[in-house]
Amino acid sequence: MKEAMPVLTAGAGLHETLALLTSQLRPDANHKEDMVFLKDVFSERSLGYLMKIHEKLRQYERQSPTPVLHSASSLAEDVAEELQSGPMSTEEKELLHLLTSPHLKAVLSVHDTVAQKNFDPVLPPLPDDFEDELEEESVKIVRLVKNKEPLGATIRRDEATGAVIVARIMRGGAADRSGLVHVGDELREVNGVSVIHKRPDEISQLLSQSQGSITLKIIPAIKEEDRLKESKVYMRALFDYIPLEDKATPCQEAGLPFKRGDILQVVTQDDPTWWQAKRVGDSNLRAGLIPSKQFQERRLAYRMKMGTLPNPKSPKKPVSGLRRSFRLSRKDRQGSSGEGSDPGDPDFMTYEEVTRYQQRPNERPRLVVLIGSLGARINELKQRVIAENPHRYAVAVPHTTRPKKPHEKEGVEYHFVTKQQFDADALNNKFIEHGEYKENQYGTSIEAIRSVQAKKMCIVDVQPEALRRLRTAEFKPYVIFVKPRVPESRRRRSAATSPGGGEHGRVTDEDLQEMRQSAIQIDQQYGHLVDRVLIKEDSASACAELRGILERLERESFWVPLCWVRT
């Protein structure tokens, strides 16, 4: 005897019906495969979700309230006018006050807009008098809706045929989002206006002035550009770029401005001259044009040849001096081993490919490198942070050729070596930097840094020139540029803390100018290697800020050169 099909209740939904049907399926001897297939389809979880969504939408459609009036604003105005026509009671005065208040009027206006459903963009009907001299199947009519944003496409004139061709589609723009316009398409008309004999700048102006809807008549390219997956190439900009000042850009409005240090996601490198990119963290989803690495380097080489750009290999003055602070006059290293990874090593600084990196558990911590301009007193800052937490942070013990004092211990204050041993180590590039002070040699060795990193986070303060030696995948240095807050003049420093600290309280305007110039010079020459700028107001606040940076290095991810994390 066959089992009877259960009776569905009146309120049963479609997904409940399918679930019940699935439970009642019985394999049939003649159609077993079909029944199994049908059961699998009905049992699919995603189908169940779709059915539930369908039922929710139907329920909303049945219960959705509809506005009683489409003109609540005008009704409120009529009521207010009626109230004012005669004497009013206290309640009527209160009602009049409410009806004439700006907030309620705005709410009623929004209500009318929604009730009339006139908030959607309205596309005009296609004109009936299209004089299409071309074959019907070869013409594409594209209608787009855009607000005040650019269309997101650039055009060019084909030199051979004279046709107006779509040169590129900006990722994320109105044209790209539509999926209807492609590179290589021939543009014939814009809003019914022929562009065949117009100049590219006239066409661009016509496109930019079109608001709301825009209708394009297009001859599709023979092979439409495939919609490539978005690139995952990230670059750190090593220079500032202002498109409105770049006469070479094909479309200044489509350019992407950026500053040195910005992280750019390069979404396409199809054009060898102009890449498309977005700024990481920017809310604007539309990509913009930036000069490619090769093109920017060619431009800089030409400017240098013409004498409008200084030679990046020309000698530079030292970036810091010896005024009122003990800083070794480090000599230039001889015979560099070439281990450094520095985007400034090539002739020109353009972009550096980067990726996100986070220190893993039990992994050697990143090296923290402090560089400072005159008056920053970074050694004092470093020692104070280490003294607060000596179990987590330490310095690399330097080498010296001077005699050991009675209270000093080998390997604590210094590694004491002979002049012959020091010279041999320097010749073999064992120091990241070294110099002479009062006829004695001093230097910080690579092995001293490694020995600290095996146990703790190592903090070093060096001259900026040493960064080229330290920028390796081994150390993964995080570079902090410390500079004092320098007031404009002595007359405006009465309530401010002096840049150098207590014993530096009496400084002249000449001293302030030297500090200011020192910071500017370091920023110009080495700013592209800096991860963080720390403005030192006073020792306490600077120490707290540095301590916060060190803590974040252990738990957060940061942008680093791609070559540092490649396996």
Side-chain angles (χ1 to χ4, degrees), residues 483-517:
K483 57 182 180 179
R485 174 77 69 183
V486 182
E488 294 183 8
S489 68
R490 287 186 297 128
R491 291 183 297 274
R492 301 185 63 178
R493 292 189 301 113
S494 57
T497 303
S498 65
E503 70 271 25
H504 295 201
R506 291 188 299 272
V507 294
T508 66
D509 283 344
E510 181 186 353
D511 297 326
L512 297 178
Q513 182 62 21
E514 282 191 29
M515 294 177 185
R516 198 176 293 113
Q517 284 300 118

mmCIF file of all heavy atoms in Angstrom, residues 483-517:
data_model
loop_
_atom_site.group_PDB
_atom_site.id
_atom_site.type_symbol
_atom_site.label_atom_id
_atom_site.label_comp_id
_atom_site.label_asym_id
_atom_site.label_seq_id
_atom_site.Cartn_x
_atom_site.Cartn_y
_atom_site.Cartn_z
ATOM 1 N N LYS A 483 63.046 64.056 14.134
ATOM 2 C CA LYS A 483 63.485 65.447 13.988
ATOM 3 C C LYS A 483 62.785 66.299 15.029
ATOM 4 O O LYS A 483 61.623 66.053 15.374
ATOM 5 C CB LYS A 483 63.218 65.968 12.580
ATOM 6 C CG LYS A 483 61.780 65.905 12.103
ATOM 7 C CD LYS A 483 61.695 66.408 10.666
ATOM 8 C CE LYS A 483 60.264 66.367 10.141
ATOM 9 N NZ LYS A 483 60.177 66.872 8.753
ATOM 10 N N PRO A 484 63.473 67.294 15.566
ATOM 11 C CA PRO A 484 62.877 68.117 16.617
ATOM 12 C C PRO A 484 61.856 69.084 16.044
ATOM 13 O O PRO A 484 61.904 69.443 14.870
ATOM 14 C CB PRO A 484 64.078 68.866 17.199
ATOM 15 C CG PRO A 484 65.034 68.964 16.048
ATOM 16 C CD PRO A 484 64.857 67.699 15.247
ATOM 17 N N ARG A 485 60.928 69.483 16.900
ATOM 18 C CA ARG A 485 59.991 70.548 16.520
ATOM 19 C C ARG A 485 60.752 71.865 16.569
ATOM 20 O O ARG A 485 61.166 72.310 17.630
ATOM 21 C CB ARG A 485 58.816 70.585 17.489
ATOM 22 C CG ARG A 485 57.860 71.731 17.273
ATOM 23 C CD ARG A 485 56.944 71.473 16.092
ATOM 24 N NE ARG A 485 56.020 70.393 16.400
ATOM 25 C CZ ARG A 485 55.144 69.918 15.520
ATOM 26 N NH1 ARG A 485 55.098 70.410 14.288
ATOM 27 N NH2 ARG A 485 54.332 68.925 15.846
ATOM 28 N N VAL A 486 60.965 72.455 15.413
ATOM 29 C CA VAL A 486 61.778 73.672 15.327
ATOM 30 C C VAL A 486 60.860 74.870 15.150
ATOM 31 O O VAL A 486 60.163 74.981 14.133
ATOM 32 C CB VAL A 486 62.785 73.596 14.161
ATOM 33 C CG1 VAL A 486 63.651 74.848 14.116
ATOM 34 C CG2 VAL A 486 63.661 72.353 14.286
ATOM 35 N N PRO A 487 60.815 75.792 16.125
ATOM 36 C CA PRO A 487 59.997 77.004 15.963
ATOM 37 C C PRO A 487 60.578 77.906 14.891
ATOM 38 O O PRO A 487 61.734 77.755 14.483
ATOM 39 C CB PRO A 487 60.050 77.659 17.348
ATOM 40 C CG PRO A 487 61.304 77.145 17.967
ATOM 41 C CD PRO A 487 61.513 75.757 17.430
ATOM 42 N N GLU A 488 59.783 78.850 14.432
ATOM 43 C CA GLU A 488 60.214 79.701 13.333
ATOM 44 C C GLU A 488 61.346 80.632 13.750
ATOM 45 O O GLU A 488 62.263 80.898 12.987
ATOM 46 C CB GLU A 488 59.031 80.516 12.803
ATOM 47 C CG GLU A 488 57.959 79.647 12.147
ATOM 48 C CD GLU A 488 56.836 80.487 11.575
ATOM 49 O OE1 GLU A 488 56.985 81.729 11.553
ATOM 50 O OE2 GLU A 488 55.820 79.915 11.157
ATOM 51 N N SER A 489 61.326 81.155 14.969
ATOM 52 C CA SER A 489 62.372 82.059 15.428
ATOM 53 C C SER A 489 62.406 82.073 16.938
ATOM 54 O O SER A 489 61.526 81.540 17.605
ATOM 55 C CB SER A 489 62.138 83.478 14.886
ATOM 56 O OG SER A 489 60.985 84.038 15.489
ATOM 57 N N ARG A 490 63.442 82.687 17.503
ATOM 58 C CA ARG A 490 63.564 82.755 18.957
ATOM 59 C C ARG A 490 62.405 83.527 19.577
ATOM 60 O O ARG A 490 61.997 83.261 20.696
ATOM 61 C CB ARG A 490 64.887 83.427 19.326
ATOM 62 C CG ARG A 490 66.106 82.547 19.078
ATOM 63 C CD ARG A 490 67.352 83.218 19.599
ATOM 64 N NE ARG A 490 67.625 84.466 18.889
ATOM 65 C CZ ARG A 490 67.845 85.630 19.464
ATOM 66 N NH1 ARG A 490 67.797 85.714 20.788
ATOM 67 N NH2 ARG A 490 68.106 86.713 18.768
ATOM 68 N N ARG A 491 61.852 84.486 18.854
ATOM 69 C CA ARG A 491 60.791 85.317 19.414
ATOM 70 C C ARG A 491 59.506 84.531 19.615
ATOM 71 O O ARG A 491 58.647 84.940 20.364
ATOM 72 C CB ARG A 491 60.523 86.510 18.484
ATOM 73 C CG ARG A 491 61.653 87.517 18.445
ATOM 74 C CD ARG A 491 61.286 88.690 17.583
ATOM 75 N NE ARG A 491 61.069 88.303 16.208
ATOM 76 C CZ ARG A 491 62.053 88.203 15.319
ATOM 77 N NH1 ARG A 491 63.310 88.408 15.678
ATOM 78 N NH2 ARG A 491 61.808 87.865 14.073
ATOM 79 N N ARG A 492 59.367 83.380 18.938
ATOM 80 C CA ARG A 492 58.131 82.617 19.025
ATOM 81 C C ARG A 492 58.332 81.330 19.819
ATOM 82 O O ARG A 492 57.583 80.383 19.680
ATOM 83 C CB ARG A 492 57.625 82.291 17.618
ATOM 84 C CG ARG A 492 57.376 83.530 16.789
ATOM 85 C CD ARG A 492 56.762 83.196 15.466
ATOM 86 N NE ARG A 492 55.441 82.583 15.638
ATOM 87 C CZ ARG A 492 54.669 82.236 14.614
ATOM 88 N NH1 ARG A 492 55.050 82.446 13.402
ATOM 89 N NH2 ARG A 492 53.499 81.664 14.831
ATOM 90 N N ARG A 493 59.400 81.281 20.637
ATOM 91 C CA ARG A 493 59.699 80.077 21.384
ATOM 92 C C ARG A 493 59.475 80.236 22.881
ATOM 93 O O ARG A 493 59.881 79.387 23.661
ATOM 94 C CB ARG A 493 61.151 79.658 21.158
ATOM 95 C CG ARG A 493 61.442 79.190 19.771
ATOM 96 C CD ARG A 493 62.813 78.583 19.654
ATOM 97 N NE ARG A 493 63.857 79.527 20.037
ATOM 98 C CZ ARG A 493 64.618 79.397 21.104
ATOM 99 N NH1 ARG A 493 64.442 78.398 21.919
ATOM 100 N NH2 ARG A 493 65.556 80.283 21.381
ATOM 101 N N SER A 494 58.843 81.294 23.296
ATOM 102 C CA SER A 494 58.736 81.560 24.735
ATOM 103 C C SER A 494 57.977 80.458 25.453
ATOM 104 O O SER A 494 58.343 80.072 26.560
ATOM 105 C CB SER A 494 58.035 82.896 24.954
ATOM 106 O OG SER A 494 56.767 82.895 24.325
ATOM 107 N N ALA A 495 56.909 79.939 24.853
ATOM 108 C CA ALA A 495 56.094 78.923 25.526
ATOM 109 C C ALA A 495 56.413 77.524 25.038
ATOM 110 O O ALA A 495 55.755 76.565 25.422
ATOM 111 C CB ALA A 495 54.614 79.228 25.312
ATOM 112 N N ALA A 496 57.371 77.378 24.159
ATOM 113 C CA ALA A 496 57.662 76.070 23.563
ATOM 114 C C ALA A 496 58.859 75.432 24.223
ATOM 115 O O ALA A 496 59.706 76.085 24.809
ATOM 116 C CB ALA A 496 57.917 76.221 22.064
ATOM 117 N N THR A 497 58.923 74.122 24.107
ATOM 118 C CA THR A 497 60.085 73.391 24.606
ATOM 119 C C THR A 497 61.210 73.528 23.607
ATOM 120 O O THR A 497 61.012 73.405 22.408
ATOM 121 C CB THR A 497 59.723 71.911 24.795
ATOM 122 O OG1 THR A 497 58.619 71.822 25.686
ATOM 123 C CG2 THR A 497 60.896 71.133 25.373
ATOM 124 N N SER A 498 62.407 73.762 24.079
ATOM 125 C CA SER A 498 63.531 73.911 23.163
ATOM 126 C C SER A 498 63.794 72.606 22.453
ATOM 127 O O SER A 498 63.605 71.537 23.008
ATOM 128 C CB SER A 498 64.792 74.349 23.921
ATOM 129 O OG SER A 498 65.195 73.328 24.807
ATOM 130 N N PRO A 499 64.192 72.633 21.169
ATOM 131 C CA PRO A 499 64.347 71.424 20.381
ATOM 132 C C PRO A 499 65.325 70.437 20.969
ATOM 133 O O PRO A 499 65.132 69.237 20.883
ATOM 134 C CB PRO A 499 64.835 71.948 19.023
ATOM 135 C CG PRO A 499 64.462 73.385 19.000
ATOM 136 C CD PRO A 499 64.490 73.844 20.409
ATOM 137 N N GLY A 500 66.401 70.923 21.557
ATOM 138 C CA GLY A 500 67.433 70.000 21.978
ATOM 139 C C GLY A 500 67.309 69.507 23.389
ATOM 140 O O GLY A 500 67.943 68.537 23.760
ATOM 141 N N GLY A 501 66.522 70.108 24.223
ATOM 142 C CA GLY A 501 66.421 69.666 25.600
ATOM 143 C C GLY A 501 66.924 70.739 26.543
ATOM 144 O O GLY A 501 67.151 71.889 26.179
ATOM 145 N N GLY A 502 67.161 70.347 27.790
ATOM 146 C CA GLY A 502 67.470 71.301 28.835
ATOM 147 C C GLY A 502 68.727 72.095 28.577
ATOM 148 O O GLY A 502 68.737 73.319 28.603
ATOM 149 N N GLU A 503 69.860 71.400 28.350
ATOM 150 C CA GLU A 503 71.108 72.134 28.211
ATOM 151 C C GLU A 503 71.209 72.882 26.901
ATOM 152 O O GLU A 503 72.137 73.619 26.656
ATOM 153 C CB GLU A 503 72.305 71.173 28.360
ATOM 154 C CG GLU A 503 72.484 70.188 27.198
ATOM 155 C CD GLU A 503 71.701 68.902 27.430
ATOM 156 O OE1 GLU A 503 70.702 68.923 28.181
ATOM 157 O OE2 GLU A 503 72.103 67.879 26.857
ATOM 158 N N HIS A 504 70.218 72.679 26.029
ATOM 159 C CA HIS A 504 70.231 73.367 24.737
ATOM 160 C C HIS A 504 69.202 74.486 24.739
ATOM 161 O O HIS A 504 68.680 74.854 23.701
ATOM 162 C CB HIS A 504 69.917 72.381 23.611
ATOM 163 C CG HIS A 504 70.963 71.325 23.444
ATOM 164 N ND1 HIS A 504 71.122 70.617 22.293
ATOM 165 C CD2 HIS A 504 71.913 70.868 24.289
ATOM 166 C CE1 HIS A 504 72.109 69.747 22.424
ATOM 167 N NE2 HIS A 504 72.599 69.887 23.645
ATOM 168 N N GLY A 505 68.888 74.995 25.902
ATOM 169 C CA GLY A 505 67.825 75.989 25.979
ATOM 170 C C GLY A 505 68.167 77.291 25.304
ATOM 171 O O GLY A 505 67.301 77.969 24.804
ATOM 172 N N ARG A 506 69.423 77.674 25.278
ATOM 173 C CA ARG A 506 69.820 78.948 24.672
ATOM 174 C C ARG A 506 70.358 78.674 23.272
ATOM 175 O O ARG A 506 71.544 78.397 23.085
ATOM 176 C CB ARG A 506 70.865 79.644 25.538
ATOM 177 C CG ARG A 506 70.307 80.140 26.867
ATOM 178 C CD ARG A 506 71.334 80.996 27.604
ATOM 179 N NE ARG A 506 72.528 80.225 27.909
ATOM 180 C CZ ARG A 506 72.685 79.496 29.011
ATOM 181 N NH1 ARG A 506 71.698 79.417 29.899
ATOM 182 N NH2 ARG A 506 73.816 78.851 29.244
ATOM 183 N N VAL A 507 69.475 78.736 22.311
ATOM 184 C CA VAL A 507 69.870 78.528 20.921
ATOM 185 C C VAL A 507 69.533 79.776 20.124
ATOM 186 O O VAL A 507 68.592 80.504 20.442
ATOM 187 C CB VAL A 507 69.170 77.294 20.304
ATOM 188 C CG1 VAL A 507 69.626 76.019 20.973
ATOM 189 C CG2 VAL A 507 67.658 77.419 20.399
ATOM 190 N N THR A 508 70.292 80.010 19.103
ATOM 191 C CA THR A 508 70.108 81.197 18.279
ATOM 192 C C THR A 508 69.272 80.883 17.058
ATOM 193 O O THR A 508 69.008 79.709 16.740
ATOM 194 C CB THR A 508 71.472 81.744 17.842
ATOM 195 O OG1 THR A 508 72.091 80.772 16.965
ATOM 196 C CG2 THR A 508 72.375 81.985 19.035
ATOM 197 N N ASP A 509 68.872 81.931 16.362
ATOM 198 C CA ASP A 509 68.157 81.720 15.103
ATOM 199 C C ASP A 509 69.027 80.983 14.094
ATOM 200 O O ASP A 509 68.519 80.221 13.261
ATOM 201 C CB ASP A 509 67.721 83.073 14.527
ATOM 202 C CG ASP A 509 66.512 83.635 15.262
ATOM 203 O OD1 ASP A 509 65.851 82.864 15.985
ATOM 204 O OD2 ASP A 509 66.242 84.841 15.120
ATOM 205 N N GLU A 510 70.333 81.203 14.164
ATOM 206 C CA GLU A 510 71.246 80.469 13.281
ATOM 207 C C GLU A 510 71.216 78.974 13.591
ATOM 208 O O GLU A 510 71.228 78.133 12.677
ATOM 209 C CB GLU A 510 72.669 81.012 13.448
ATOM 210 C CG GLU A 510 73.694 80.312 12.553
ATOM 211 C CD GLU A 510 75.109 80.778 12.842
ATOM 212 O OE1 GLU A 510 75.290 81.725 13.632
ATOM 213 O OE2 GLU A 510 76.031 80.173 12.270
ATOM 214 N N ASP A 511 71.145 78.635 14.880
ATOM 215 C CA ASP A 511 71.049 77.229 15.265
ATOM 216 C C ASP A 511 69.752 76.614 14.732
ATOM 217 O O ASP A 511 69.741 75.492 14.212
ATOM 218 C CB ASP A 511 71.081 77.090 16.786
ATOM 219 C CG ASP A 511 72.387 77.582 17.376
ATOM 220 O OD1 ASP A 511 73.421 77.422 16.706
ATOM 221 O OD2 ASP A 511 72.362 78.131 18.493
ATOM 222 N N LEU A 512 68.660 77.350 14.875
ATOM 223 C CA LEU A 512 67.377 76.845 14.395
ATOM 224 C C LEU A 512 67.394 76.628 12.888
ATOM 225 O O LEU A 512 66.843 75.648 12.380
ATOM 226 C CB LEU A 512 66.262 77.829 14.771
ATOM 227 C CG LEU A 512 66.020 78.051 16.265
ATOM 228 C CD1 LEU A 512 64.917 79.077 16.465
ATOM 229 C CD2 LEU A 512 65.668 76.757 16.962
ATOM 230 N N GLN A 513 68.034 77.535 12.177
ATOM 231 C CA GLN A 513 68.112 77.395 10.732
ATOM 232 C C GLN A 513 68.918 76.166 10.349
ATOM 233 O O GLN A 513 68.575 75.455 9.394
ATOM 234 C CB GLN A 513 68.728 78.664 10.121
ATOM 235 C CG GLN A 513 68.818 78.644 8.595
ATOM 236 C CD GLN A 513 67.455 78.546 7.935
ATOM 237 O OE1 GLN A 513 66.427 78.867 8.540
ATOM 238 N NE2 GLN A 513 67.426 78.076 6.697
ATOM 239 N N GLU A 514 69.989 75.884 11.100
ATOM 240 C CA GLU A 514 70.790 74.681 10.828
ATOM 241 C C GLU A 514 69.967 73.421 11.065
ATOM 242 O O GLU A 514 70.043 72.469 10.285
ATOM 243 C CB GLU A 514 72.033 74.671 11.719
ATOM 244 C CG GLU A 514 73.153 75.579 11.252
ATOM 245 C CD GLU A 514 74.439 75.325 12.025
ATOM 246 O OE1 GLU A 514 74.635 74.176 12.479
ATOM 247 O OE2 GLU A 514 75.232 76.252 12.173
ATOM 248 N N MET A 515 69.201 73.400 12.141
ATOM 249 C CA MET A 515 68.338 72.244 12.416
ATOM 250 C C MET A 515 67.317 72.042 11.302
ATOM 251 O O MET A 515 67.060 70.925 10.837
ATOM 252 C CB MET A 515 67.607 72.447 13.748
ATOM 253 C CG MET A 515 68.504 72.459 14.971
ATOM 254 S SD MET A 515 67.541 72.792 16.477
ATOM 255 C CE MET A 515 68.856 72.893 17.690
ATOM 256 N N ARG A 516 66.743 73.158 10.884
ATOM 257 C CA ARG A 516 65.727 73.089 9.832
ATOM 258 C C ARG A 516 66.329 72.577 8.520
ATOM 259 O O ARG A 516 65.773 71.704 7.848
ATOM 260 C CB ARG A 516 65.109 74.479 9.648
ATOM 261 C CG ARG A 516 63.779 74.496 8.923
ATOM 262 C CD ARG A 516 63.193 75.897 8.881
ATOM 263 N NE ARG A 516 62.816 76.366 10.212
ATOM 264 C CZ ARG A 516 63.410 77.359 10.852
ATOM 265 N NH1 ARG A 516 64.430 78.011 10.285
ATOM 266 N NH2 ARG A 516 63.002 77.734 12.044
ATOM 267 N N GLN A 517 67.503 73.091 8.161
ATOM 268 C CA GLN A 517 68.153 72.672 6.922
ATOM 269 C C GLN A 517 68.602 71.220 6.994
ATOM 270 O O GLN A 517 68.537 70.487 5.999
ATOM 271 C CB GLN A 517 69.360 73.579 6.634
ATOM 272 C CG GLN A 517 68.986 74.947 6.104
ATOM 273 C CD GLN A 517 68.212 74.855 4.802
ATOM 274 O OE1 GLN A 517 67.056 75.283 4.719
ATOM 275 N NE2 GLN A 517 68.841 74.282 3.789
#
